[in-house]
Amino acid sequence: MDTEEMRRQLRALTDRAEITDLLDRYLRSLDDGVFDEEWARAFHTEDVTAEMPIGTAHGRAALLARVRRGMALFDRTVHLGTNAVIEVDGDRATARGAQLSTHVLADGSGGVFVSAGHAENELVRTADGWRISAAALRVVWTRGTPPRLPDDFGAISAAGATSGAAEES
């Protein structure tokens, strides 16, 4: 094997390891519950689009607002991701894996809501490392009673305030 081929293989392995680490840290961060600007920058591009069971967010600020509000519906959570298939093409990549999310409701009922599905991510290499540029969580099944969403839940602006002209669809 020549030196150039070894470099190519090392780069491919390094990219996969960095992407796996990013996705693992992202899921773990959901359970840690600290959702601030630093959190959003650590995982997402400025123009990220994320399709979640609680709605779609366009842009990092809108995603941050939606995640803050959505995760506040739970007292505790455990998010597990596995079986990620990662395909790297230069400075772009895709990752598709399974996700199992367990949530203890914050409504005082002690209720547990579990969802399982497939996480599909598009990533780009930035000056700060790999970041998620598009994400979609496709829920396949659930168990338990989901949290009751406030009537104004769909109207979250990028600043986190509710309004009629939301940045999400």
Side-chain angles (χ1 to χ4, degrees):
M1 177 180 312
D2 67 13
T3 304
E4 188 56 37
E5 178 61 18
M6 286 179 64
R7 282 188 188 139
R8 189 189 66 71
Q9 287 183 0
L10 180 59
R11 177 69 177 249
L13 292 171
T14 302
D15 286 341
R16 287 177 175 278
E18 290 173 359
I19 291 167
T20 298
D21 182 63
L22 178 76
L23 297 174
D24 288 348
R25 285 186 301 106
Y26 173 74
L27 288 177
R28 183 63 174 262
S29 78
L30 294 176
D31 301 331
D32 293 340
V34 178
F35 308 112
D36 55 18
E37 295 290 332
E38 182 179 344
W39 172 85
R41 280 191 309 276
F43 298 107
H44 305 96
T45 61
E46 182 68 33
D47 62 348
V48 65
T49 296
E51 298 175 42
M52 303 168 278
I54 58 172
T56 299
H58 302 286
R60 193 163 53 205
L63 172 63
L64 175 58
R66 186 160 290 279
V67 169
R68 276 182 180 154
R69 193 138 186 235
M71 293 303 290
L73 298 170
F74 306 111
D75 185 43
R76 295 178 305 281
T77 64
V78 174
H79 291 82
L80 302 172
T82 189
N83 301 344
V85 174
I86 299 169
E87 296 181 16
V88 179
D89 183 10
D91 290 339
R92 303 190 76 70
T94 59
R96 184 172 190 265
Q99 183 173 322
L100 179 66
S101 305
T102 304
H103 315 83
V104 176
L105 303 181
D107 63 6
S109 70
V112 175
F113 176 64
V114 180
S115 66
H118 303 284
E120 300 171 2
N121 295 282
E122 295 177 17
L123 303 102
V124 296
R125 186 190 322 269
T126 71
D128 297 319
W130 288 97
R131 295 295 184 267
I132 300 166
S133 60
L137 178 58
R138 313 272 187 231
V139 174
V140 176
W141 61 264
T142 64
R143 167 115 347 147
T145 304
R148 185 186 173 288
L149 299 180
D151 292 337
D152 64 353
F153 193 84
I156 302 174
S157 72
T162 56
S163 72
E167 298 221 2
E168 299 79 29
S169 50

